[in-house]
Amino acid sequence: MKFNLGDIISTTVLLCMFLAIFFVMIHMIKKMKSTAPVPPPPTMQQQVEDLTKRVSNLEQQVTKLADKQ
């Protein structure tokens, strides 16, 4: 078998690119693991309960203002 210089160079470049991508992926996975997990957004039920509390507070304020007048 006879290898050309171009074959050796292109194979080496492809190997280096593969190794670089491999190490970058490992680095990104480690970085993702080290970040603190984001708390989940409030569920629809929690949002409904919060809005219900706010509405009831506003209704109480309205009734108090109506009683004063």
Side-chain angles (χ1 to χ4, degrees):
M1 289 182 73
K2 183 178 180 184
F3 292 107
N4 292 335
L5 185 62
D7 292 340
I8 295 173
I9 291 173
S10 63
T11 304
T12 306
V13 168
L14 285 173
L15 180 65
C16 290
M17 287 174 57
F18 175 74
L19 288 174
I21 292 171
F22 181 73
F23 285 115
V24 166
M25 292 300 286
I26 288 177
H27 179 69
M28 289 181 70
I29 289 172
K30 284 183 180 178
K31 186 186 288 187
M32 284 174 55
K33 284 185 179 179
S34 67
T35 57
V38 178
T43 62
M44 188 66 76
Q45 183 66 31
Q46 289 173 337
Q47 291 176 348
V48 167
E49 289 173 0
D50 292 341
L51 286 174
T52 304
K53 290 177 186 175
R54 289 172 59 187
V55 167
S56 63
N57 286 339
L58 287 172
E59 287 174 344
Q60 289 174 0
Q61 290 177 5
V62 166
T63 55
K64 286 180 184 176
L65 285 174
D67 290 343
K68 285 182 181 178
Q69 293 178 354

